[in-house]
Amino acid sequence: MAVQPPRAATPMVRVPRPSTVDLITAELRSAIFSGALPVGSPIGEVEMASQLGVSRSPLRESMQRLVQERLLTASPGRGMRVSEIGPERVADVYDARLAIEAQAARLIIKAGAESVLDRLEAAYAALVEVSQGTDALAISDADLEFHRLLVDVAGSDRLGLYMSTLVIETRIAGLSGDGDGYTARRSISETYRQLLDALAAGDAFEAFTALERQFAEAVARHTGQAGDVDTVETPVTEAIAVITPIEVVDDEG
């Protein structure tokens, strides 16, 4: 019997794991989104490194990433601060969101996956339910989750990446107002239902129109031009101490 040659080893792909810089970046993004790092607040390297339990080198690299994402702002002689998005810049955020989300809607319609629509309907139902309460941040979370899901289910990694930053910028815009808290719209805009119906009908133009109207309403509210809209406000506590220490990983291992 002929001796069989040894079988070549199956190539194994190394499973990537997040680096310390990745973990720090994710924690800082979360802190900015929650308001634990208030808009306009300075980021003290020594204090932040101590709270996160990391050295200053990976913290600096992480902060540079967030500067590139425009979530942090570097000022000569003033160091790093959490970015602010005033009324004059709100429309720009929503213009970018319209470009991303309208294309996501087109991709969803092109794919025609019914299960995707079911997930969006569930996210919409969650938004309707939470809007019956008085927690502005919870309403905002549900609202942004609906829009994040709209982009995620479209199946484009790049669109999802851009949207992840725009979601945080949207929250920053809400936290950059003159009030002492975060204000959210409590009444549900009819444009959500119009968007879902347009997706179900395969009508990309109507989906775009619904998003355009919805974002115009949001810009008007953020800039004080919305008129009589049912809103609720929740105080935002400056609680930097809620930042979770990072479990340092061996990036070389």
Side-chain angles (χ1 to χ4, degrees):
M1 174 184 272
V3 177
Q4 296 292 326
R7 178 180 294 179
T10 302
M12 302 294 288
V13 178
R14 184 174 180 177
V15 178
R17 61 177 176 175
S19 67
T20 300
V21 174
D22 293 332
L23 295 173
I24 295 172
T25 304
E27 185 62 32
L28 291 180
R29 283 197 197 101
S30 178
I32 293 170
F33 181 78
S34 69
L37 285 177
V39 295
S41 65
I43 307 295
E45 279 189 18
V46 175
E47 178 188 9
M48 187 60 63
S50 175
Q51 293 210 20
L52 291 170
V54 298
S55 65
R56 293 169 68 179
S57 178
L59 175 63
R60 287 194 192 107
E61 185 175 343
S62 172
M63 291 194 298
Q64 285 300 327
R65 287 190 188 181
L66 296 183
V67 169
Q68 293 173 1
E69 295 177 16
R70 302 178 71 175
L71 301 182
L72 293 182
T73 300
S75 302
R78 299 179 61 191
M80 300 282 189
R81 291 180 176 272
V82 178
S83 297
E84 297 183 63
I85 298 178
E88 72 283 356
R89 295 174 55 204
V90 169
D92 188 44
V93 173
Y94 280 94
D95 283 344
R97 283 187 55 182
L98 180 60
I100 297 297
E101 296 187 51
Q103 179 59 18
R106 294 187 190 99
L107 292 175
I108 291 170
I109 289 171
K110 182 178 179 180
E114 188 172 337
S115 60
V116 164
L117 299 180
D118 291 341
R119 292 176 63 187
L120 288 169
E121 286 283 1
Y124 173 65
L127 173 59
V128 171
E129 181 178 359
V130 76
S131 293
Q132 297 174 10
T134 58
D135 187 335
L137 285 170
I139 295 171
S140 173
D141 286 346
D143 175 41
L144 292 173
E145 173 60 20
F146 174 88
H147 288 280
R148 184 199 62 77
L149 182 62
L150 174 70
V151 176
D152 281 356
V153 297
S156 169
D157 290 340
R158 279 184 178 18
L159 291 183
L161 180 63
Y162 301 148
M163 186 62 181
S164 64
T165 297
L166 286 169
V167 162
I168 303 177
E169 287 192 301
T170 302
R171 175 59 62 79
I172 289 175
L175 292 168
S176 298
D178 295 330
D180 296 327
Y182 186 87
T183 302
R185 176 172 177 167
R186 190 177 182 187
S187 57
I188 302 296
S189 171
E190 62 182 10
T191 57
Y192 286 89
R193 185 71 264 160
Q194 292 168 356
L195 171 61
L196 290 167
D197 290 345
L199 292 174
D203 192 330
F205 177 77
E206 285 300 321
F208 173 88
T209 301
L211 285 167
E212 187 177 41
R213 284 186 55 202
Q214 184 179 136
F215 293 163
E217 292 172 1
V219 171
R221 183 170 58 79
H222 280 298
T223 55
Q225 302 173 28
D228 187 17
V229 177
D230 184 15
T231 61
V232 61
E233 182 174 325
T234 298
V236 177
T237 303
E238 297 185 10
I240 296 180
V242 303
I243 294 177
T244 306
I246 297 296
E247 182 178 349
V248 178
V249 298
D250 181 3
D251 296 343
E252 299 298 325

